Amino acid sequence: MRATAWWHELSGSAKFRLYSRLTFQAAIAGLVVALAMSDDSMLAVVVIIVAGIAAMLAVEAQPDFATVPGVVARPRMLPLATATLVVIWVAGGIVAHVAADESTVVSARVVGVSAALLTIFSVIAFTRHKWWILIGLSVATPPVLAAPLEAGLKGTATLLLAGVFAIALTLLTVWALGIIDELERTKEVEAQLRVAEERLRFSRDLHDVVGRGFSAVAVKSELAMALLRAGDADRAVSEMEEVRTLAVESMGQMRTLVRGYRNIDLRGEVAGARSLLSAAGCRLVVEGDAAKIPTAFHEVAAWVVREGTTNIVEHSAATTATLTLGGAGMSLRNDRPQGSIGERSGLRGLGERLAAVGATLDIAMSDDEFILEIHWENQ
């Protein structure tokens, strides 16, 4: 389903931001219900609901809660929602000053206090000078709503306490979001460092293994040319024989080096897959044992584990994966796949490897699971 796929495609940071945003909106919805039940006037209830909708829209537009940090889809929503709350707060104060009916005055004060509380939770808690704005609003609200002195003092204290709670909750949430973002960046940097480290290791091995041999070939070739020019053909032939020997040895060393990267061990790949998936936030469960795999298929099974693990990291947001090893075949399953099967070009090469040893590859994908199944046809 599209909704499920959309959720699976979100990063851990984006999911936590969405969760935080929905939590704040749910808290505001609960506050609106409580405030609306505190007054019997239908008009006041409607105005409080409108203020609640404006507050929820303000939370939706907060940059701190954006799915992509700092990028808001509707940047004008926040000023519009803030202006709506301010207008309701001012309108409540005007009605409280000019109304002659006591019940109307009380309803106007409820509306004004409601607008102030919703503004604190949805706007002020996220602003730069939040503490000064909170104090100013808390002190100004009772006079604006024409509240008696004793009730005004209680109202100021209530707004201050609510503001302290809202700001503390917001600061903790934003702090947690910062930690999640930092963890995401750390995972990306770690992956880049692993690639750079592997490249450095290969270049170092390549230099150490064949660099000296090629240097000797170059020097002896120049010496042989100089001997030929000097008329010493016998020594030149001897030097060229050594050049040929060095070239053959260097080629052998090169093959050994490359073979070290191409020949892989099944048990080592399973251990590496567990480590890599764990670093990516996915738990690998291994069922069966590598000893059950027929000897003829050990190497290709190792390639299945390597390519399957790469596939999980690159094309899913998996949290769990299951590797099953058996005498008749093996399988690798993971949850939360992303994209389509056609995007996984590495699987074509894996299918060719399997066909070369008489094995088959079956692929199945649903909204919730991706499955690689391998069967040993000759067993």
Side-chain angles (χ1 to χ4, degrees), residues 253-329:
Q253 291 172 347
M254 175 72 79
R255 292 192 186 97
T256 301
L257 175 63
V258 174
R259 192 179 300 116
Y261 282 87
R262 295 185 61 185
N263 286 354
I264 56 179
D265 174 70
L266 178 56
R267 294 184 186 276
E269 285 303 315
V270 172
R274 179 179 282 112
S275 176
L276 178 59
L277 292 177
S278 176
C282 177
R283 184 173 67 93
L284 177 64
V285 178
V286 179
E287 298 176 352
D289 188 76
K292 296 181 179 180
I293 303 294
T295 304
F297 300 108
H298 262 236
E299 183 174 347
V300 75
W303 280 109
V304 171
V305 174
R306 176 177 289 189
E307 180 57 38
T309 303
T310 303
N311 183 66
I312 292 172
V313 173
E314 293 183 352
H315 299 290
S316 78
T319 57
T320 58
T322 303
L323 173 64
T324 304
L325 303 171

Side-chain angles (χ1 to χ4, degrees), residues 66 130 268:
K130 52 181 70 69

Side-chain angles (χ1 to χ4, degrees), residues 73-141:
R74 299 177 180 85
R76 296 182 181 179
M77 186 184 295
L78 180 57
L80 180 61
T82 304
T84 301
L85 291 169
V86 172
V87 168
I88 292 174
W89 181 71
V90 172
I94 293 174
V95 173
H97 277 282
V98 301
D101 184 23
E102 183 63 24
S103 62
T104 302
V105 172
V106 172
S107 296
R109 288 171 181 166
V110 171
V111 168
V113 171
S114 299
L117 283 171
L118 292 170
T119 302
I120 289 171
F121 274 86
S122 63
V123 179
I124 295 176
F126 298 92
T127 57
R128 183 177 181 181
H129 304 290
K130 52 181 70 69
W131 296 110
W132 292 110
I133 298 175
L134 171 62
I135 294 172
L137 180 65
S138 300
V139 172
T141 296

Side-chain angles (χ1 to χ4, degrees), residues 191-268:
Q192 294 172 0
L193 288 175
R194 287 184 177 181
V195 172
E197 183 180 359
E198 181 63 17
R199 288 175 177 171
L200 180 61
R201 184 169 74 91
F202 185 82
S203 64
R204 183 177 61 246
D205 291 349
L206 184 63
H207 176 271
D208 293 343
V209 170
V210 300
R212 185 178 62 179
F214 286 160
S215 297
V217 167
V219 171
K220 286 187 173 291
S221 297
E222 292 177 0
L223 177 58
M225 291 177 62
L227 290 170
L228 281 174
R229 292 191 186 100
D232 193 348
D234 292 338
R235 287 189 61 191
V237 170
S238 177
E239 292 294 337
M240 290 308 298
E241 289 289 343
E242 292 188 21
V243 166
R244 184 180 66 177
T245 301
L246 284 170
V248 171
E249 290 178 355
S250 296
M251 290 176 62
Q253 291 172 347
M254 175 72 79
R255 292 192 186 97
T256 301
L257 175 63
V258 174
R259 192 179 300 116
Y261 282 87
R262 295 185 61 185
N263 286 354
I264 56 179
D265 174 70
L266 178 56
R267 294 184 186 276

